[in-house]
Amino acid sequence: MSVSANDNASKASMRGFLAKYSVLIAFAAIVIFFSVASPTFLTPANLFNVLVNNVVMLAIVALGLTIVISSGGIDLSVGVSVDMASMIFVMLLAAGYSGVVGVAGGLGAALIVGILNAILITRLNISPFLATLGVLFIGQSTQQLATSGGQPIYLTSGYAADQFNAIARTALFGIPTPVIVLIVLAVVVHLLLHRSVFGRYVQAMGAQPGVAWYSGIRVPRELSMVHVLCALLAGVTGILLSATVKSYVPLSGNAFLLDAIGATFIGTTLSRERKPSVIGTLLGVLLLAIVKNGLLLVGWNFYWQQVGIGVLVFLVLAASFGLRRAAH
Amino acid sequence: MSATVLHTEVGVSDEKQAAAKSAGRRFGALVVRLGAIAAFAAIMAYFVIFAPGFTSTFNLINVVEQSAILGVLAYGMTAVIIGGGSDVTEGGIDLSIAANMGLCAAVYATLLSMGYGDFLSVMAAIAVGMAVGALNALAVVGLGILPLLATLAVLNVAAGMELTLTQNTVVGASSPLLGVLVSGSFFGISALAWALIVFSAVMIVVVHGTSFGLRLYAVGGHPEAARAAGISVPFYVSFTYVLSGFCAAVASILTVSRLSASTPGSGELLLSVLAAALLGTVFSRRFVPTMGGTLLSVLFIGLLANGFQLLNVSSYWVNGVQGALILLVVAITSFARGSEGSR
Amino acid sequence: MQTAKRDIAVSMTGISKRFGPVRALENANLEIARGSILGLVGQNGAGKSTIIKVLAGIIKPDSGSIVVNGETVSTLTPASVEKLGVHFIHQDRLLVPTATVGEAVFLGHEIGLGPFVSRRAMERRAADLLKRFFGMELPAGTLVKDLTTAQQKVVQITRALAQKASVLVLDEPTAALVKREVDSLFDVLRRLRDDGIAVVFISHYMQEIEKLCDRVTVMRNGTDVGTVDPRQTPIDEIIAMMIARDVGEMFPKRSVELGAPVLEVSNLRLGGSFENIGFNVRAGEIVGLTGLLGSGAKEIVQCLFGLKTADGGEVKVEGRELSLSTPVKAVRDGIAMLPEDRRAHGVALGLSVRENISLASLRRYSRTGMVSRGAENQAVDGLIKELSIKTPHRDALVRELSGGNQQKVAIAKWLSCQSRVYVLDEPTVAVDVGAKVEIYNLLNRLAGEGAAILLLSSDLLELVGVCDRVLVVYRGRLAGSFSGPAMNSDALLAASSGARSNADGVAA
């Protein structure tokens, strides 16, 4: 408001351009750097490995968080959704149930977490941060109690388990199955968030909840849907995780939280309006995965990787918020 | 033509209504507060009756000792929430505080094991803690990043650096200072308990007895009003994050003394720290975080874990009960506020 | 000039300020003399608030000079202004809600020893001041958030008095006060004037200006158009100075054949707010609704949109009875609402013009839950053109538009729903005069197309100029319905305050 509108708009769009391309340029620089630094980085085998092991599961969780963050909320309990789906899935398979029952049970467990979040947020008017924080506490306790303090459950044998493991590790037309799952989910979430009526309502709630309510939008219902969808997507990751490692390791889902939030916010810096978007989030996940993998290949150990990722997320947040502040 | 715009005059009924509303609100708040406190008291009473040895002096001092680390951290968190406002998504929060403590502990223990003396090692730990706090302050105040996100990223940096430093191992440590903290006792109260008592006293006096504290509340409660009163909001908010880093460093020395080592996994304390700072608000008449309230909830959490232990209830329940308590307190508070009909 | 002899505390000359395309101040001047009370009047958007914010150091002017106590001040900040002894009572209550009265009064100037504060001393001093200046007693340790609006205003004034202000600027200080409080406030201000303090009093209320002020400066379109003595200048003349264009031009005439009743309200009641409310709005009719703050007029409008649920009564639209429990139902039943707080409820600043306009009618442009961009764009472009919304393109953020154009976007949202009933809550607050006329034209056109319009407003000129009929609410009941020649601002004012004879009895 302080400068003339024209001037302001052009400056803002220039900054938008800068923000957009600075991340892309950084992205390209990182890829080039690692290709030079490590001969194995750009090999198909390595990229395949990155895609399957570092991208797919994180990306699916991040898709869910993208929906929640678009609605103006946050879900700190995505890890719980991952874990609960993983736990029930593995328990059912271990008890000899078929794969269909296992998947249904796992998704059902995630659904319950989502519904719990939705009730706390829309019925009891608890802020998303506190509600999902509380669910995070309770979810951790539940897992510890169910596994006598965090003992992993392994799927030693059994038809269903092997079948799932096989699916997780095979490819369809040369594309790994988990990647196909991701592509399908990404397309669905993209259409939902950016093309559907529901997505428009989500954006409106995120931009100004009062306006959404005054426009006749059923805010509580839409918000419940947002949290249920997020939990379900995290549940899919939980099942993929268990199918891949043939086990359930308690409290392992929390590792996704920071990376998924980071990826979503990297994505917002890429979008013109600085809003979360599916494509942005996927690029964010890819960036994080490539940096992690590259750091590993050039010899950084796991601990330094964590520092590196933290610094990267910090810098992206700084760029995103700093530019937003400068634009106002 | 006498007037172009209606002058709004509030009628008698409205003033009475407003008074009744505010009285009703105060009553509602009182019920919520007393209800929550009664729930805490009931849990304590249950332990007193059914948990063997719960009320013994030895046990209670033990709880105070165990609570020292959590308490010091919770004070840092409380200061951040006071200065940043209690809106959890937009307001002040320091998610990096527990990881920061872990990093400081690693620095302290590593320097001790390398033969540097207590003085240098303590100074280094405090410098690291305050530097991490300053990084948070830079991100939140300087760059305008949401505190939730900024401190989440810093959490990762600090945790990663701790792991790098210790290679995820236990670093044993001993020194004269640690010796005093472990086995020293004055007037029959152990040094660790004294640490909590002294730290609590300082925090309570600074935050509730000085103009600094008064202004800090103004900064968090209504930044525009604080600015209009000539108070530098950025300075106060930055200060809280640096203070939070300082608290992490102090807590790190206590934790190294208690375990005679720096150990991985200190990040797990974060949830309890948050719980203590958030639960503390119910002890306040104004429903704001206070140092006294935080102390009470720290002790409550300590007694809860202790009581469960004495009753042979699995410690895995503690997290869940803390989470349920947070949800309960927040739900009741938002219900009490909602019944004012503000929406 | 006689002003040369006066003891000038603050002199602002040639102040200009632009906000984007909007010219807020254009070569405006303001002179504040010690030992006198200066009234500052003007319509919404005339620049009163802006020039005060310049003096407060909140807004930096593009040009102009400011002299305080004989010294030219180059840059003003809120802190430096306060040091110069200039204090402001802003319209929004700048008080920390969780502070006690004593803390709020002395924030930034605490009483105590060194770094330590004495809460008891602050409470006692605050209580003394409140009693001395306002005769008001509050329980010790009362929190600001538990005070009424009026009490908070009083605390704010006390805060300035406690700091020994030499210039005191009050922005609409009486807006939320009851008469007794207004009277004691005036006594305080007169006493302060006699002590040599310069007082600036901003008000919409002409009687107050006449009663209190020694001089009055009139602002219009961002500049000062004259300073007069309100005791010697008829109020009509002052109002004529405020409104440049004549009323006939401002409020376009129209003639519409009224149709059948579209909105029928009978026996509506809400405990503690209003009861026994019944009226009709016919197709093509614009009905005004007005009442003082707390009269229940606002709540009636909120009930009609489902923001509050009435305890009883009937609301029919085109003969169909509605159950209005949420805005969701109201929108579905064809009721459109233009809320007072545009930024919180009217338009989402962070969304595009297109997304805002289609928000309430998305289902029209969608099939199986997916939005058809083509249909949406077509409808949105049509509305942008129809309402002549000034926007670079349909995907520009609403944030980038002027206030009047934002309001047009909010109206366009409902046009695309083809609502039958429009409920407008103070639609022209903080909208410039040009955009006001456009909004009035728009209302006329909507009415011409057969919509029923209910306009809640406290701007009496607007009501008289725009409406076919005005309903006045007083203490939760309909106190009168005015149309034709009987519909004039005197009559509306009298009815809103419960008739002149017992107006004084209202305050107690």
Side-chain angles (χ1 to χ4, degrees), chain B residues 190-206:
Chain B
S190 69
L192 216 53
W194 273 114
L196 179 64
I197 292 165
V198 170
F199 209 82
S200 303
V202 170
M203 285 309 236
I204 289 172
V205 168
V206 167

mmCIF file with all atom_site columns, all heavy atoms in Angstrom, chain B residues 190-206:
data_model
loop_
_atom_site.group_PDB
_atom_site.id
_atom_site.type_symbol
_atom_site.label_atom_id
_atom_site.label_alt_id
_atom_site.label_comp_id
_atom_site.label_asym_id
_atom_site.label_entity_id
_atom_site.label_seq_id
_atom_site.pdbx_PDB_ins_code
_atom_site.Cartn_x
_atom_site.Cartn_y
_atom_site.Cartn_z
_atom_site.occupancy
_atom_site.B_iso_or_equiv
_atom_site.pdbx_formal_charge
_atom_site.auth_seq_id
_atom_site.auth_comp_id
_atom_site.auth_asym_id
_atom_site.auth_atom_id
_atom_site.pdbx_PDB_model_num
ATOM 1   N N   . SER B 1 190 ? 19.406 -31.315 48.446 1.00 0.00 ? 190 SER B N   1
ATOM 2   C CA  . SER B 1 190 ? 20.497 -31.592 47.524 1.00 0.00 ? 190 SER B CA  1
ATOM 3   C C   . SER B 1 190 ? 20.726 -30.418 46.568 1.00 0.00 ? 190 SER B C   1
ATOM 4   O O   . SER B 1 190 ? 19.850 -29.580 46.365 1.00 0.00 ? 190 SER B O   1
ATOM 5   C CB  . SER B 1 190 ? 20.191 -32.852 46.722 1.00 0.00 ? 190 SER B CB  1
ATOM 6   O OG  . SER B 1 190 ? 19.135 -32.572 45.844 1.00 0.00 ? 190 SER B OG  1
ATOM 7   N N   . ALA B 1 191 ? 21.912 -30.398 45.997 1.00 0.00 ? 191 ALA B N   1
ATOM 8   C CA  . ALA B 1 191 ? 22.308 -29.280 45.142 1.00 0.00 ? 191 ALA B CA  1
ATOM 9   C C   . ALA B 1 191 ? 21.381 -29.143 43.941 1.00 0.00 ? 191 ALA B C   1
ATOM 10  O O   . ALA B 1 191 ? 21.035 -28.039 43.522 1.00 0.00 ? 191 ALA B O   1
ATOM 11  C CB  . ALA B 1 191 ? 23.744 -29.472 44.673 1.00 0.00 ? 191 ALA B CB  1
ATOM 12  N N   . LEU B 1 192 ? 20.964 -30.269 43.389 1.00 0.00 ? 192 LEU B N   1
ATOM 13  C CA  . LEU B 1 192 ? 20.105 -30.224 42.207 1.00 0.00 ? 192 LEU B CA  1
ATOM 14  C C   . LEU B 1 192 ? 18.765 -29.567 42.548 1.00 0.00 ? 192 LEU B C   1
ATOM 15  O O   . LEU B 1 192 ? 18.236 -28.748 41.793 1.00 0.00 ? 192 LEU B O   1
ATOM 16  C CB  . LEU B 1 192 ? 19.885 -31.662 41.700 1.00 0.00 ? 192 LEU B CB  1
ATOM 17  C CG  . LEU B 1 192 ? 19.802 -31.856 40.199 1.00 0.00 ? 192 LEU B CG  1
ATOM 18  C CD1 . LEU B 1 192 ? 20.989 -31.244 39.489 1.00 0.00 ? 192 LEU B CD1 1
ATOM 19  C CD2 . LEU B 1 192 ? 19.710 -33.337 39.890 1.00 0.00 ? 192 LEU B CD2 1
ATOM 20  N N   . ALA B 1 193 ? 18.247 -29.923 43.728 1.00 0.00 ? 193 ALA B N   1
ATOM 21  C CA  . ALA B 1 193 ? 16.992 -29.310 44.153 1.00 0.00 ? 193 ALA B CA  1
ATOM 22  C C   . ALA B 1 193 ? 17.193 -27.817 44.383 1.00 0.00 ? 193 ALA B C   1
ATOM 23  O O   . ALA B 1 193 ? 16.342 -27.004 44.018 1.00 0.00 ? 193 ALA B O   1
ATOM 24  C CB  . ALA B 1 193 ? 16.483 -29.982 45.418 1.00 0.00 ? 193 ALA B CB  1
ATOM 25  N N   . TRP B 1 194 ? 18.352 -27.469 44.970 1.00 0.00 ? 194 TRP B N   1
ATOM 26  C CA  . TRP B 1 194 ? 18.650 -26.049 45.159 1.00 0.00 ? 194 TRP B CA  1
ATOM 27  C C   . TRP B 1 194 ? 18.683 -25.304 43.833 1.00 0.00 ? 194 TRP B C   1
ATOM 28  O O   . TRP B 1 194 ? 18.199 -24.173 43.719 1.00 0.00 ? 194 TRP B O   1
ATOM 29  C CB  . TRP B 1 194 ? 19.998 -25.863 45.857 1.00 0.00 ? 194 TRP B CB  1
ATOM 30  C CG  . TRP B 1 194 ? 19.908 -25.881 47.361 1.00 0.00 ? 194 TRP B CG  1
ATOM 31  C CD1 . TRP B 1 194 ? 20.435 -26.823 48.191 1.00 0.00 ? 194 TRP B CD1 1
ATOM 32  C CD2 . TRP B 1 194 ? 19.263 -24.916 48.194 1.00 0.00 ? 194 TRP B CD2 1
ATOM 33  N NE1 . TRP B 1 194 ? 20.145 -26.522 49.496 1.00 0.00 ? 194 TRP B NE1 1
ATOM 34  C CE2 . TRP B 1 194 ? 19.428 -25.354 49.531 1.00 0.00 ? 194 TRP B CE2 1
ATOM 35  C CE3 . TRP B 1 194 ? 18.540 -23.749 47.953 1.00 0.00 ? 194 TRP B CE3 1
ATOM 36  C CZ2 . TRP B 1 194 ? 18.909 -24.653 50.622 1.00 0.00 ? 194 TRP B CZ2 1
ATOM 37  C CZ3 . TRP B 1 194 ? 18.025 -23.050 49.032 1.00 0.00 ? 194 TRP B CZ3 1
ATOM 38  C CH2 . TRP B 1 194 ? 18.211 -23.503 50.355 1.00 0.00 ? 194 TRP B CH2 1
ATOM 39  N N   . ALA B 1 195 ? 19.258 -25.973 42.842 1.00 0.00 ? 195 ALA B N   1
ATOM 40  C CA  . ALA B 1 195 ? 19.344 -25.328 41.528 1.00 0.00 ? 195 ALA B CA  1
ATOM 41  C C   . ALA B 1 195 ? 17.960 -24.936 41.040 1.00 0.00 ? 195 ALA B C   1
ATOM 42  O O   . ALA B 1 195 ? 17.733 -23.822 40.544 1.00 0.00 ? 195 ALA B O   1
ATOM 43  C CB  . ALA B 1 195 ? 20.011 -26.272 40.521 1.00 0.00 ? 195 ALA B CB  1
ATOM 44  N N   . LEU B 1 196 ? 17.003 -25.847 41.189 1.00 0.00 ? 196 LEU B N   1
ATOM 45  C CA  . LEU B 1 196 ? 15.643 -25.551 40.753 1.00 0.00 ? 196 LEU B CA  1
ATOM 46  C C   . LEU B 1 196 ? 15.054 -24.418 41.587 1.00 0.00 ? 196 LEU B C   1
ATOM 47  O O   . LEU B 1 196 ? 14.422 -23.492 41.054 1.00 0.00 ? 196 LEU B O   1
ATOM 48  C CB  . LEU B 1 196 ? 14.749 -26.796 40.859 1.00 0.00 ? 196 LEU B CB  1
ATOM 49  C CG  . LEU B 1 196 ? 13.292 -26.561 40.438 1.00 0.00 ? 196 LEU B CG  1
ATOM 50  C CD1 . LEU B 1 196 ? 13.185 -26.201 38.974 1.00 0.00 ? 196 LEU B CD1 1
ATOM 51  C CD2 . LEU B 1 196 ? 12.409 -27.771 40.742 1.00 0.00 ? 196 LEU B CD2 1
ATOM 52  N N   . ILE B 1 197 ? 15.285 -24.488 42.919 1.00 0.00 ? 197 ILE B N   1
ATOM 53  C CA  . ILE B 1 197 ? 14.700 -23.470 43.802 1.00 0.00 ? 197 ILE B CA  1
ATOM 54  C C   . ILE B 1 197 ? 15.236 -22.085 43.452 1.00 0.00 ? 197 ILE B C   1
ATOM 55  O O   . ILE B 1 197 ? 14.474 -21.127 43.271 1.00 0.00 ? 197 ILE B O   1
ATOM 56  C CB  . ILE B 1 197 ? 14.990 -23.819 45.277 1.00 0.00 ? 197 ILE B CB  1
ATOM 57  C CG1 . ILE B 1 197 ? 14.222 -25.093 45.668 1.00 0.00 ? 197 ILE B CG1 1
ATOM 58  C CG2 . ILE B 1 197 ? 14.604 -22.663 46.192 1.00 0.00 ? 197 ILE B CG2 1
ATOM 59  C CD1 . ILE B 1 197 ? 14.685 -25.735 46.960 1.00 0.00 ? 197 ILE B CD1 1
ATOM 60  N N   . VAL B 1 198 ? 16.560 -21.988 43.314 1.00 0.00 ? 198 VAL B N   1
ATOM 61  C CA  . VAL B 1 198 ? 17.165 -20.677 43.038 1.00 0.00 ? 198 VAL B CA  1
ATOM 62  C C   . VAL B 1 198 ? 16.725 -20.166 41.656 1.00 0.00 ? 198 VAL B C   1
ATOM 63  O O   . VAL B 1 198 ? 16.317 -19.017 41.499 1.00 0.00 ? 198 VAL B O   1
ATOM 64  C CB  . VAL B 1 198 ? 18.710 -20.766 43.112 1.00 0.00 ? 198 VAL B CB  1
ATOM 65  C CG1 . VAL B 1 198 ? 19.346 -19.483 42.591 1.00 0.00 ? 198 VAL B CG1 1
ATOM 66  C CG2 . VAL B 1 198 ? 19.138 -21.050 44.538 1.00 0.00 ? 198 VAL B CG2 1
ATOM 67  N N   . PHE B 1 199 ? 16.775 -21.054 40.678 1.00 0.00 ? 199 PHE B N   1
ATOM 68  C CA  . PHE B 1 199 ? 16.396 -20.653 39.324 1.00 0.00 ? 199 PHE B CA  1
ATOM 69  C C   . PHE B 1 199 ? 14.939 -20.188 39.296 1.00 0.00 ? 199 PHE B C   1
ATOM 70  O O   . PHE B 1 199 ? 14.592 -19.170 38.676 1.00 0.00 ? 199 PHE B O   1
ATOM 71  C CB  . PHE B 1 199 ? 16.603 -21.828 38.359 1.00 0.00 ? 199 PHE B CB  1
ATOM 72  C CG  . PHE B 1 199 ? 16.908 -21.398 36.956 1.00 0.00 ? 199 PHE B CG  1
ATOM 73  C CD1 . PHE B 1 199 ? 18.202 -21.047 36.594 1.00 0.00 ? 199 PHE B CD1 1
ATOM 74  C CD2 . PHE B 1 199 ? 15.916 -21.342 35.991 1.00 0.00 ? 199 PHE B CD2 1
ATOM 75  C CE1 . PHE B 1 199 ? 18.494 -20.651 35.299 1.00 0.00 ? 199 PHE B CE1 1
ATOM 76  C CE2 . PHE B 1 199 ? 16.197 -20.946 34.701 1.00 0.00 ? 199 PHE B CE2 1
ATOM 77  C CZ  . PHE B 1 199 ? 17.487 -20.599 34.353 1.00 0.00 ? 199 PHE B CZ  1
ATOM 78  N N   . SER B 1 200 ? 14.076 -20.936 39.997 1.00 0.00 ? 200 SER B N   1
ATOM 79  C CA  . SER B 1 200 ? 12.656 -20.567 40.044 1.00 0.00 ? 200 SER B CA  1
ATOM 80  C C   . SER B 1 200 ? 12.493 -19.192 40.663 1.00 0.00 ? 200 SER B C   1
ATOM 81  O O   . SER B 1 200 ? 11.740 -18.347 40.142 1.00 0.00 ? 200 SER B O   1
ATOM 82  C CB  . SER B 1 200 ? 11.865 -21.581 40.874 1.00 0.00 ? 200 SER B CB  1
ATOM 83  O OG  . SER B 1 200 ? 12.033 -22.864 40.345 1.00 0.00 ? 200 SER B OG  1
ATOM 84  N N   . ALA B 1 201 ? 13.198 -18.964 41.785 1.00 0.00 ? 201 ALA B N   1
ATOM 85  C CA  . ALA B 1 201 ? 13.053 -17.688 42.480 1.00 0.00 ? 201 ALA B CA  1
ATOM 86  C C   . ALA B 1 201 ? 13.460 -16.543 41.552 1.00 0.00 ? 201 ALA B C   1
ATOM 87  O O   . ALA B 1 201 ? 12.750 -15.535 41.442 1.00 0.00 ? 201 ALA B O   1
ATOM 88  C CB  . ALA B 1 201 ? 13.908 -17.689 43.747 1.00 0.00 ? 201 ALA B CB  1
ATOM 89  N N   . VAL B 1 202 ? 14.595 -16.711 40.868 1.00 0.00 ? 202 VAL B N   1
ATOM 90  C CA  . VAL B 1 202 ? 15.062 -15.648 39.977 1.00 0.00 ? 202 VAL B CA  1
ATOM 91  C C   . VAL B 1 202 ? 14.033 -15.390 38.867 1.00 0.00 ? 202 VAL B C   1
ATOM 92  O O   . VAL B 1 202 ? 13.657 -14.245 38.584 1.00 0.00 ? 202 VAL B O   1
ATOM 93  C CB  . VAL B 1 202 ? 16.435 -16.020 39.368 1.00 0.00 ? 202 VAL B CB  1
ATOM 94  C CG1 . VAL B 1 202 ? 16.806 -15.041 38.253 1.00 0.00 ? 202 VAL B CG1 1
ATOM 95  C CG2 . VAL B 1 202 ? 17.493 -16.044 40.442 1.00 0.00 ? 202 VAL B CG2 1
ATOM 96  N N   . MET B 1 203 ? 13.558 -16.462 38.255 1.00 0.00 ? 203 MET B N   1
ATOM 97  C CA  . MET B 1 203 ? 12.613 -16.301 37.149 1.00 0.00 ? 203 MET B CA  1
ATOM 98  C C   . MET B 1 203 ? 11.327 -15.631 37.624 1.00 0.00 ? 203 MET B C   1
ATOM 99  O O   . MET B 1 203 ? 10.786 -14.748 36.952 1.00 0.00 ? 203 MET B O   1
ATOM 100 C CB  . MET B 1 203 ? 12.278 -17.670 36.542 1.00 0.00 ? 203 MET B CB  1
ATOM 101 C CG  . MET B 1 203 ? 13.381 -18.213 35.696 1.00 0.00 ? 203 MET B CG  1
ATOM 102 S SD  . MET B 1 203 ? 13.925 -17.003 34.498 1.00 0.00 ? 203 MET B SD  1
ATOM 103 C CE  . MET B 1 203 ? 13.737 -17.854 33.012 1.00 0.00 ? 203 MET B CE  1
ATOM 104 N N   . ILE B 1 204 ? 10.826 -16.074 38.768 1.00 0.00 ? 204 ILE B N   1
ATOM 105 C CA  . ILE B 1 204 ? 9.561  -15.517 39.249 1.00 0.00 ? 204 ILE B CA  1
ATOM 106 C C   . ILE B 1 204 ? 9.738  -14.030 39.547 1.00 0.00 ? 204 ILE B C   1
ATOM 107 O O   . ILE B 1 204 ? 8.902  -13.207 39.173 1.00 0.00 ? 204 ILE B O   1
ATOM 108 C CB  . ILE B 1 204 ? 9.062  -16.294 40.489 1.00 0.00 ? 204 ILE B CB  1
ATOM 109 C CG1 . ILE B 1 204 ? 8.594  -17.681 40.054 1.00 0.00 ? 204 ILE B CG1 1
ATOM 110 C CG2 . ILE B 1 204 ? 7.929  -15.534 41.180 1.00 0.00 ? 204 ILE B CG2 1
ATOM 111 C CD1 . ILE B 1 204 ? 8.265  -18.624 41.183 1.00 0.00 ? 204 ILE B CD1 1
ATOM 112 N N   . VAL B 1 205 ? 10.848 -13.658 40.180 1.00 0.00 ? 205 VAL B N   1
ATOM 113 C CA  . VAL B 1 205 ? 11.065 -12.248 40.515 1.00 0.00 ? 205 VAL B CA  1
ATOM 114 C C   . VAL B 1 205 ? 11.215 -11.425 39.228 1.00 0.00 ? 205 VAL B C   1
ATOM 115 O O   . VAL B 1 205 ? 10.587 -10.379 39.064 1.00 0.00 ? 205 VAL B O   1
ATOM 116 C CB  . VAL B 1 205 ? 12.310 -12.074 41.418 1.00 0.00 ? 205 VAL B CB  1
ATOM 117 C CG1 . VAL B 1 205 ? 12.695 -10.605 41.508 1.00 0.00 ? 205 VAL B CG1 1
ATOM 118 C CG2 . VAL B 1 205 ? 12.011 -12.625 42.797 1.00 0.00 ? 205 VAL B CG2 1
ATOM 119 N N   . VAL B 1 206 ? 12.016 -11.931 38.297 1.00 0.00 ? 206 VAL B N   1
ATOM 120 C CA  . VAL B 1 206 ? 12.263 -11.149 37.078 1.00 0.00 ? 206 VAL B CA  1
ATOM 121 C C   . VAL B 1 206 ? 10.973 -10.969 36.269 1.00 0.00 ? 206 VAL B C   1
ATOM 122 O O   . VAL B 1 206 ? 10.649 -9.879  35.806 1.00 0.00 ? 206 VAL B O   1
ATOM 123 C CB  . VAL B 1 206 ? 13.354 -11.811 36.209 1.00 0.00 ? 206 VAL B CB  1
ATOM 124 C CG1 . VAL B 1 206 ? 13.387 -11.191 34.813 1.00 0.00 ? 206 VAL B CG1 1
ATOM 125 C CG2 . VAL B 1 206 ? 14.698 -11.675 36.880 1.00 0.00 ? 206 VAL B CG2 1
#
